[in-house]
Structures are given as structure tokens and as C-alpha cells.
Amino acid sequence: MSDVLELVEARLHSALGEPDARAAVTFLGTDRIEVLRFVGDGVVRYATLGMSAQPMADPTAVLADPLRGPRAELVLSVKSGRAETGKVLRPLAVLAASPQVEGVIVAPGASLDVGEPLWPGAPFTSVLVAAPGGLVEDLALDEPLEPVRFLPLLPMTPNEAAWKRVHGAEALEERWLQQGTDLRDPLRQGVPLDG
């Protein structure tokens, strides 16, 4: 499956440029996950590399299909120079390893929580998985493999995450839109959720 990761890395380079840094994290019993950092236009983007090596398996399936199933990588975009976001590498790798470790399928609308600030002083411990197709286009693979989707991550405050559990991802995204929320601001406050 290393050829899949080579294709994924090539797609990331063509969409985001050359990474200026990369880090690798390995968790017991999982494949290695790398996090690549891309800097440009006042924005730092972190992209995982390794999550798509294996398809995500339905946790209720008796046997995981080694070929079929959704594949994804995660992309987080934040404004540069406003916070110590470089420390997000390990939490991102944890999220990218969650399909292997916890048997979850990461898809748009899902919430992922790391249980601690995403970086020092961050008001966020979780992220909303957004719809793919904007920043990095899906990567088609040979049949029967499903395409690799590059899923944007939108940091959520604990209150936003709780509100999303009740009202849904679409309602939270609509609230962000109404408030003109800059989701790339690493120091932003939570949006008003009353009414």
C-alpha cells in the first residue's frame, strides 16, 4: 500500500506545495502516521499521511475488507504566527490513527475529540470533520479501491461540540457562517449558541 501513500503525498504536494516540515508518529499496533506541514499566504496547513494506507472498516464487520472501504487523510488549516500550533502534530496523528485503533469510520459531520487542547492554550479539544473537495481534490485509485478523500478539520470549543451533538453538524456550520466565524483563527472564541 506504499504506492497509495506515494500518490497521496504527490496530490498533497500538487495542491499545497512542498512541505516545510514533517513528523512521524507510530502507535502500538498501528501503521506509521506522518503529519506534513505546509506554510503559505499567512496560513499553516497540517496534513496527515498514512491514514489512507488501509481502508476504514465498518466496526460491526466480522472481517475487515483489505481493499474496499472509505479512505481519507485529514487537513487542518490555521493562521500562522498567532499560536503555538506546531504542537498539533501528535493530536492530529492520534485522530488519523483512530480508524485503526478504535475501528471508527471518519466521515464528514463526525466529531473527533482528543481530550486535551489541540495545541498549548488552544480553546479546542475536538474537531468537526467537514466535507472534502475544496482545498485538496479527492484522489481516485484503481478499482476496487475507493478514492482517498482529504477531509478538512474545523476546531470546535467544548460548548460548540456539545451544541453540535444536539443540533447536528449542519446547524453548527450554519451558525459559524451567520456569525462570520474565522475557523482558521487558532485563538478564536466560541460562537454565541443561544436562541
Side-chain angles (χ1 to χ4, degrees):
M1 283 299 141
S2 63
D3 54 336
V4 169
L5 295 184
E6 287 170 16
L7 293 171
V8 167
E9 185 166 2
R11 174 58 55 92
L12 287 169
H13 288 205
S14 67
L16 304 175
E18 287 298 312
D20 78 328
R22 63 194 308 145
V25 181
T26 306
F27 303 99
L28 189 62
T30 69
D31 296 328
R32 183 170 94 154
I33 302 286
E34 287 189 85
V35 179
L36 283 58
R37 184 178 71 187
F38 302 87
V39 179
D41 296 328
V43 176
V44 182
R45 302 187 198 288
Y46 299 94
T48 63
L49 179 63
M51 182 177 169
S52 61
Q54 305 295 328
M56 293 181 271
D58 181 343
T60 62
V62 178
L63 287 174
D65 189 320
L67 297 176
R68 290 174 182 81
R71 293 174 189 261
E73 295 291 353
L74 307 175
V75 180
L76 174 70
S77 300
V78 291
K79 287 184 175 176
S80 60
R82 302 213 49 213
E84 200 179 341
T85 59
K87 303 280 187 180
V88 77
L89 300 177
R90 184 167 176 76
L92 268 183
V94 168
L95 296 178
S98 62
Q100 288 182 59
V101 175
E102 299 170 25
V104 298
I105 293 180
V106 177
S111 299
L112 302 174
D113 197 316
V114 293
E116 60 186 38
L118 292 173
W119 52 83
F124 320 106
T125 60
S126 62
V127 292
L128 174 65
V129 180
L135 191 60
V136 184
E137 287 183 33
D138 291 355
L139 172 65
L141 300 174
D142 294 337
E143 292 286 339
L145 306 182
E146 290 188 28
V148 176
R149 302 167 85 196
F150 297 88
L151 302 172
L153 300 180
L154 308 175
M156 294 187 291
T157 66
N159 283 347
E160 290 170 341
W163 196 84
K164 181 253 174 196
R165 280 192 294 277
V166 174
H167 300 280
E170 199 174 304
L172 179 58
E173 290 186 77
E174 183 62 33
R175 184 61 61 109
W176 281 335
L177 195 60
Q178 289 171 354
Q179 299 291 325
T181 307
D182 183 356
L183 296 172
R184 296 184 305 185
D185 182 352
L187 300 174
R188 75 170 181 86
Q189 301 298 308
V191 295
L193 299 170
D194 307 329

